[in-house]
């Protein structure tokens, strides 16, 4: 069947799954663990083997959709500029939290994997887990991890943190959209930023900023630490 | 008309970002550099042109959808790392939870200190 392996079908499937996920999400009062990116992806993963479509074919077919991640990332400059007055006020907490947060995210993941007997490759692929995908892949290559595994760890981290964050912040009583968005951006990078914009533009801007700073800090810090340890 | 203008500006910034990345051999992604370029542009212009605002309003809400194909890949990482999955899943789950708590508490503490001063 020609249609099933076409980009047309692949993108239609993505949109349909996402909107079904959205419907479910709204029905259940936006229950955090069932964010449409996660439920939609699970639905596609169930359907692909059933329709006998190879995941790589589906991913290739979605290139056109994923192309817009680039311009959408550039567009994040707009909310960032609009929230500049708030960001200026919080400059020091932002920089400090980002530096410590980036180190903590990488360190805690590697420590837990080490403790559970993960291989060296696993640990090196886990180190960039809280860094946005393109930077994480370059980092993994640089320090000797596996790019595919690193990309997987990044996506898994993003999905996990995006779903857990609203619950954790409710428990910690964090309601300030600045802090809410910022902490989401450090831990869950791109998907977290998407989620923060669903809350409000302030949370989104702070999340974008956290994502970029964490990426920059990690790109500088992780190779250095790996060199020192090996 | 203005939406096309806005998207054109975004694409031009991304092209400039990619050019800078390859020229200087940086490890920052082209779109992130493009974001910095647009940000500096907005600082100089001291306002957000309607076209750019419109394109940004159209694209940003779709971020969650754009991540869906890559997120689907999680289910197809497969058997090559099967012995490593327990360590990976534990590191991601527990690590992310600890990270969220650590960042939340640290940021709240620093923000409170900062506001206490002013």
């Amino acid at each position: 069947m020609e249609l099933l392996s076409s980009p047309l079908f692949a993108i239609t499937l993505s949109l349909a799954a996402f909107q079904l996920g959205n419907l479910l999400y709204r029905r259940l009062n936006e229950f955090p663990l069932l964010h449409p990116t996660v439920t939609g992806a699970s639905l596609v993963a169930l359907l692909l083997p059933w329709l006998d479509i190879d995941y790589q074919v589906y991913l290739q077919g979605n290139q056109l959709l994923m192309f817009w991640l680039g311009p959408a990332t550039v567009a994040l400059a707009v909310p960032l500029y609009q929230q500049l007055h708030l960001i200026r006020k919080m400059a020091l907490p932002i920089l400090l939290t980002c530096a410590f947060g980036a180190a903590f995210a990488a360190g805690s993941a590697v420590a837990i994997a080490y403790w559970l007997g993960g291989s060296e490759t696993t640990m090196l692929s886990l180190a960039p887990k809280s860094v946005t995908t393109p930077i994480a892949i370059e980092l993994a290559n640089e320090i000797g991890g596996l790019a595919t595994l690193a990309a997987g760890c990044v996506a898994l981290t993003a999905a996990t943190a995006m779903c857990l964050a609203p619950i954790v912040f409710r428990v910690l009583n964090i309601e300030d959209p600045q802090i809410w968005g910022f902490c989401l951006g450090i831990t869950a990078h791109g998907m977290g930023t998407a989620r923060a914009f669903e809350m409000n533009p302030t949370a989104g801007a702070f999340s974008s900023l956290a994502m970029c700073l964490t990426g920059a800090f990690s790109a500088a810090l992780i190779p250095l630490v790996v060199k020192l340890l090996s | 008309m203005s939406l096309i203008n806005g998207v054109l500006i975004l694409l031009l910034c991304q092209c400039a970002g990619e050019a800078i990345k390859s020229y200087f051999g940086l490890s920052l992604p082209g779109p992130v550099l493009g974001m910095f370029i647009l940000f500096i542009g907005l600082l100089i212009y001291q306002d957000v042109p309607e076209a750019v605002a419109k394109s940004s309003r159209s694209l940003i809400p779709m971020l969650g959808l754009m991540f869906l194909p890559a997120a689907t890949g999680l289910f197809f990482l497969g058997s090559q790392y099967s012995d490593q999955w327990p360590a990976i899943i534990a590191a991601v789950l527990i690590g992310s939870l600890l990270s969220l708590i650590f960042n939340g508490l640290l940021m709240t503490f620093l923000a409170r200190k900062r506001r206490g001063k002013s």
Side-chain angles (χ1 to χ4, degrees):
Chain A
M1 182 89 161
E2 199 73 354
L3 173 67
L4 290 182
S5 56
S6 68
L8 166 68
F9 187 80
I11 292 175
T12 307
L13 185 62
S14 297
L15 262 70
F18 187 77
Q19 289 304 70
L20 271 174
N22 239 335
L23 204 67
L24 183 75
Y25 189 55
R26 301 271 173 271
R27 273 283 154 80
L28 296 167
N29 293 327
E30 309 203 345
F31 181 63
L33 294 181
L34 295 174
H35 190 274
T37 304
V38 177
T39 47
S42 314
L43 185 63
V44 173
L46 278 173
L47 286 172
L48 289 182
W50 186 67
L51 293 165
D52 201 23
I53 303 170
D54 185 57
Y55 170 67
Q56 288 306 327
V57 172
Y58 165 77
L59 190 68
Q60 276 302 316
N62 271 290
Q63 286 301 318
L64 198 67
L65 181 67
M66 285 150 79
F67 168 82
W68 292 100
L69 272 170
T73 305
V74 177
L76 294 174
V78 175
L80 220 49
Y81 173 80
Q82 286 165 334
Q83 307 288 333
L84 193 60
H85 58 290
L86 292 175
I87 292 169
R88 270 210 190 108
K89 271 193 199 129
M90 294 279 279
L92 193 65
I94 283 173
L95 284 171
L96 282 174
T97 309
C98 233
F100 284 111
F104 186 89
S108 61
V110 173
I112 294 164
Y114 178 78
W115 176 57
L116 289 170
S119 69
E120 191 177 323
T121 312
T122 300
M123 289 191 277
L124 290 172
S125 308
L126 271 167
K129 78 174 177 57
S130 277
V131 184
T132 182
T133 308
I135 303 181
I137 288 174
E138 297 211 20
L139 269 176
N141 284 331
E142 194 178 337
I143 60 179
L146 286 170
T148 42
L149 188 56
C153 293
V154 168
L156 189 60
T157 302
T160 308
M162 173 172 72
C163 295
L164 287 178
I167 300 170
V168 172
F169 295 159
R170 197 172 300 151
V171 172
L172 292 178
N173 211 357
I174 293 172
E175 282 163 8
D176 181 344
Q178 296 178 29
I179 299 175
W180 206 93
F182 193 77
C183 296
L184 198 52
I186 295 180
T187 325
H189 31 83
M191 278 188 223
T193 301
R195 178 68 189 82
F197 272 106
E198 288 164 21
M199 185 185 178
N200 70 30
T202 305
F206 272 76
S207 181
S208 326
L209 185 67
M211 174 176 76
C212 295
L213 284 174
T214 307
F217 271 122
S218 306
L221 194 93
I222 291 174
L224 210 73
V225 174
V226 170
K227 225 177 242 154
L228 288 174
L229 291 177
S230 55
Chain B
M1 187 62 212
S2 79
L3 180 61
I4 299 177
N5 271 336
V7 172
L8 175 61
I9 291 170
L10 297 180
L11 290 172
L12 285 170
C13 288
Q14 194 183 340
C15 285
E18 293 291 352
I20 289 171
K21 176 186 157 74
S22 55
Y23 186 79
F24 292 102
L26 301 172
S27 61
L28 281 174
V32 172
L33 289 165
M35 180 174 90
F36 285 132
I37 294 165
L38 179 59
F39 185 72
I40 292 163
L42 294 173
L43 281 176
I44 294 168
Y45 190 78
Q46 298 231 321
D47 190 25
V48 182
E50 181 48 33
V52 176
K54 201 168 174 177
S55 61
S56 128
R57 271 199 308 271
S58 318
L59 282 173
I60 290 174
M62 292 178 72
L63 274 170
L65 166 69
M66 295 168 192
F67 283 113
L68 189 143
T72 307
L74 284 175
F75 298 92
F76 298 94
L77 273 172
S79 49
Q80 55 201 113
Y81 319 112
S82 55
D83 61 323
Q84 296 293 316
W85 276 127
I88 292 171
I89 290 174
V92 166
L93 275 177
I94 304 167
S96 301
L97 188 65
L98 291 176
S99 276
L100 282 168
I101 296 169
F102 174 84
N103 295 331
L105 292 175
L106 182 63
M107 188 77 179
T108 309
F109 169 76
L110 290 169
R112 204 172 286 151
K113 258 184 81 161
R114 168 113 211 113
R115 284 181 188 137
K117 266 192 209 145
S118 55

